[in-house]
Amino acid sequence: MHTTRRHLGRTLGLGLMSSVLVLAACAAPASAPATAPAPRAASGAVVPQPAARPAQPTGKLVVAVPSLENESVDPIKGSALSGLFQQILYDSLVGTDLEGKLDTSLGIANKWDMAPDGKTWTFTIRKGVTFDNGDEVTSADVKFTIERAMGPEARGVGAPTLRAAISGVETPDASTIVVKLKSPNPFIARFLSLSQTEGFVMPKKYLEAVGADAFNKKPIGTGAYRLTHHEFGSSLQMEAKPQPHWRIGVPRFQAFEIRIVPDDTTRIALVTRGEGIVVALPRQLVRTAGERGINVVLKKAEDSHWLAFHDQWVEGNPLGKADVRKALSLAIDRKAILDNVFGGIGEISGTAPTFSVLTDGVKRGQFQFPYDPQQAKQLLSRAGHPNGFKINLNSWTRPGVSEGPKMIEAIAQYWKDVGMDVTIVPIDYGTWRQKWQQDLGKLGVTSGWYLSGSRVWPLDSTRVTMHKDAILTYDKDPDVARLIDAAQEALDPKTRAEAVDALSRVLVDRTISAYLFEVGLALGTTPDLKGWSPGLQPYTWNIMGLLAR
């Protein structure tokens, strides 16, 4: 499919649109009926009445997504997007609110402090939180969780960060955890929050007794729901626990199901009937969905998208040349793709997309990434590739991003237009991620698109993919590594801001990645769920907000 600027508009036929989060108006409550007189015995004494039963959960909430990419319920073996369903089973050590800010009322820890030197963090556990089997959470469980999350079997996105940062974990008593760091790090609480699956607290005694494989089949946690059935590739089903949850009380729904529905049309049809249904909408069909009466919910800049140029340090790899990387970036018409593939829901990146708005020094809109195919050809020629070269371009879908393959088709055509020989390689993201880690340095001339939760992750995605010592790096530039370390270790906001600004300039000047756009999330719900907000926390969509009364 030929998808240059003029062809994209004609082929997909959708222009820029904007929308706002749909909020339901609250109806005024009806007048309360007069209180009936209390029953009395023949003697005239008031007869004691049984206490009213608390409201019970009813019905079912269904969330349908195009893919889950990793369905493991074990937090150390999932991906960042596994939080979409793991948040239902477990609670994180550190809580976050809808804006992604840390909150002492929403996690297992109700207090935390960083030492003045930034190298020691102390967390205090709230009392009375229990796992499914009745065991109360103690500091031993948290120590076990952290050490397991940075252990050799850990494959989560935050594992490299924890390994690089933490030197030891101590438990002075049953409710206190002391985390010792190798160097100052003001972000450790963030890495143990809902922002990363590594923060979900695990049951030490149970997991050690049954083993990791048995745990993945029958997990227990402190969450409001427990897993009842997992049909791989199809769905995960959960039910509310009989006792009220420490944070949300008695849930609204008796059952919860996350369903994998790859076909866009099928997901849209699902949300047009019944109640308690949330689906990921393809952004170019938002207008159609609204016309069909679907409650459309938009979340600004859920994901930052970029292209990685793998194995840049390998001798003979043309992607190791800055002119080549810049040429491939200039060859892409970002606005055409954003408008016609993503329905205009988002904005072209103006900064390194792996930077959070919570990171000091981030300047939104700082950089421009123009579309200039002529300059792209000149740079390729200057780099010794006047006729381009062969490159593999990986393609996959991810939860909430069913448009991935269409975007890759467009990028492939833009690269072909400047002389590149592009082969699109469809592959499951989970499969690719394992290959990336196992075959690092032997991936060949390969590019792929990635995303990060741009709103609340401070520098973590940058370290995971661009630091020379990371297990998933595609770059070993020592200047980049030095600046990442400086930004993450700075305790003074002004110093951190300076390091982040310097890092931003190096990443863009050397085109370590081809930054694309920040894309908003589009969800459709049944009318009974109007008024719900998915918040800014990436990949969780505030599903707990729907499950709570």
Side-chain angles (χ1 to χ4, degrees):
M1 181 176 66
H2 193 63
T3 46
T4 58
R5 179 191 291 271
R6 64 182 184 277
H7 291 86
L8 270 167
R10 185 172 71 242
T11 302
L12 299 173
L14 290 167
L16 179 65
M17 66 177 71
S18 62
S19 183
V20 296
L21 179 66
V22 181
L23 298 176
C26 297
S31 300
T35 304
R40 292 179 178 271
S43 63
V46 175
V47 178
Q49 297 296 301
R53 287 189 63 190
Q56 296 299 304
T58 60
K60 182 178 185 179
L61 177 68
V62 176
V63 175
V65 295
S67 73
L68 278 178
E69 75 189 25
N70 187 314
E71 297 176 42
S72 175
V73 297
D74 189 338
I76 72 165
K77 296 182 179 178
S79 69
L81 286 87
S82 302
L84 189 61
F85 57 90
Q86 289 181 3
Q87 64 174 311
I88 315 301
L89 301 171
Y90 317 113
D91 291 304
S92 56
L93 177 64
V94 176
T96 56
D97 65 14
L98 280 179
E99 301 298 311
K101 298 177 182 177
L102 305 186
D103 190 317
T104 56
S105 68
L106 299 176
I108 297 293
N110 57 13
K111 180 183 178 183
W112 53 84
D113 296 293
M114 181 182 72
D117 65 357
K119 296 177 66 174
T120 301
W121 281 77
T122 303
F123 299 85
T124 303
I125 298 176
R126 71 179 68 251
K127 297 185 182 300
V129 179
T130 60
F131 296 106
D132 294 7
N133 62 358
D135 290 348
E136 185 169 354
V137 178
T138 71
S139 59
D141 297 299
V142 177
K143 174 180 167 69
F144 171 78
T145 296
I146 296 173
E147 291 178 343
R148 187 170 182 265
M150 52 190 283
E153 299 300 315
R155 295 292 181 267
V157 67
T161 298
L162 296 181
R163 291 188 191 112
I166 297 175
S167 60
V169 182
E170 301 172 357
T171 54
D173 56 55
S175 60
T176 306
I177 303 98
V178 178
V179 179
K180 299 287 188 177
L181 306 179
K182 299 173 185 176
S183 58
N185 193 319
F187 300 120
I188 284 299
R190 167 72 57 189
F191 299 144
L192 297 174
S193 75
L194 191 58
S195 295
Q196 307 280 22
T197 59
E198 286 80 10
F200 289 129
V201 177
M202 296 287 97
K204 180 179 186 292
K205 291 179 181 178
Y206 177 80
L207 221 161
E208 288 182 333
V210 303
D213 291 341
F215 178 84
N216 202 43
K217 296 174 182 176
K218 190 177 180 180
I220 69 171
T222 63
Y225 289 71
R226 73 178 103 207
L227 184 69
T228 57
H229 182 70
H230 181 187
E231 185 175 348
F232 189 84
S234 177
S235 70
L236 291 95
Q237 299 184 38
M238 306 171 199
E239 67 176 5
K241 295 177 183 177
Q243 67 275 16
H245 184 253
W246 68 269
R247 179 160 46 86
I248 69 170
V250 178
R252 174 180 177 181
F253 294 95
Q254 174 61 31
F256 170 75
E257 177 185 2
I258 186 159
R259 192 177 300 174
I260 301 171
V261 183
D263 182 67
D264 293 339
T265 303
T266 304
R267 286 200 312 280
I268 290 178
L270 180 66
V271 80
T272 59
R273 56 182 183 268
E275 295 183 340
I277 300 172
V278 179
V279 303
L281 292 177
R283 293 154 188 83
Q284 71 268 34
L285 296 183
V286 162
R287 181 180 297 154
T288 302
E291 291 171 352
R292 296 181 63 176
I294 296 171
N295 176 49
V296 177
V297 181
L298 296 183
K299 177 180 174 182
K300 183 179 180 182
E302 161 79 353
D303 300 313
S304 287
H305 294 241
W306 75 94
L307 286 172
F309 302 120
H310 287 285
D311 290 357
Q312 296 178 24
W313 66 92
V314 175
E315 186 176 356
N317 186 346
L319 297 177
K321 302 175 182 178
D323 276 353
V324 166
R325 299 192 299 269
K326 186 172 184 180
L328 295 178
S329 177
L330 288 168
I332 301 168
D333 189 339
R334 292 160 171 79
K335 187 176 189 307
I337 297 176
L338 185 62
D339 287 350
N340 296 293
V341 174
F342 294 99
I345 300 175
E347 57 190 39
I348 296 174
S349 292
T351 186
T354 49
F355 292 158
S356 157
V357 292
L358 302 181
T359 304
D360 298 294
V362 171
K363 300 175 182 177
R364 313 307 291 183
Q366 181 178 15
F367 303 105
Q368 300 296 316
F369 301 98
Y371 171 50
D372 193 337
Q374 292 305 314
Q375 187 180 359
K377 291 178 181 179
Q378 292 171 7
L379 288 171
L380 284 173
S381 181
R382 189 170 76 180
H385 303 283
N387 300 314
F389 53 87
K390 292 183 178 180
I391 186 170
N392 289 334
L393 182 57
N394 291 336
S395 175
W396 43 65
T397 62
R398 301 192 71 180
V401 195
S402 62
E403 303 93 340
K406 291 182 180 178
M407 175 183 67
I408 289 300
E409 288 177 8
I411 291 171
Q413 185 58 56
Y414 286 127
W415 284 359
K416 289 177 182 178
D417 288 346
V418 296
M420 295 293 292
D421 183 357
V422 186
T423 299
I424 295 177
V425 182
I427 186 171
D428 172 74
Y429 178 74
T431 302
W432 166 253
R433 195 172 182 277
Q434 288 184 336
K435 178 178 174 58
W436 182 3
Q437 184 170 337
Q438 293 169 0
D439 296 343
L440 191 68
K442 298 178 289 185
L443 297 172
V445 184
T446 300
S447 181
W449 71 273
Y450 300 92
L451 52 85
S452 73
S454 63
R455 293 287 144 176
V456 299
W457 286 358
L459 295 171
D460 190 39
S461 292
T462 314
R463 171 176 285 278
V464 169
T465 58
M466 301 182 203
H467 195 286
K468 65 182 180 64
D469 298 329
I471 60 173
L472 290 176
T473 190
Y474 46 83
D475 163 55
K476 290 187 178 291
D477 189 317
D479 292 336
V480 171
R482 176 180 55 79
L483 289 169
I484 290 174
D485 290 339
Q488 276 201 318
E489 295 174 8
L491 301 181
D492 172 55
K494 183 175 183 295
T495 303
R496 187 183 310 126
E498 292 171 351
V500 168
D501 183 62
L503 175 59
S504 300
R505 295 180 185 281
V506 168
L507 293 177
V508 173
D509 289 346
R510 301 182 187 180
T511 320
I512 302 299
S513 303
Y515 302 136
L516 299 174
F517 19 68
E518 296 185 14
V519 177
L521 175 69
L523 300 172
T525 82
T526 46
D528 58 306
L529 302 181
K530 281 186 176 181
W532 159 72
S533 168
L536 288 180
Q537 183 70 46
Y539 313 141
T540 64
W541 301 358
N542 186 31
I543 299 300
M544 289 303 295
L546 287 172
L547 294 170
R549 290 185 179 274

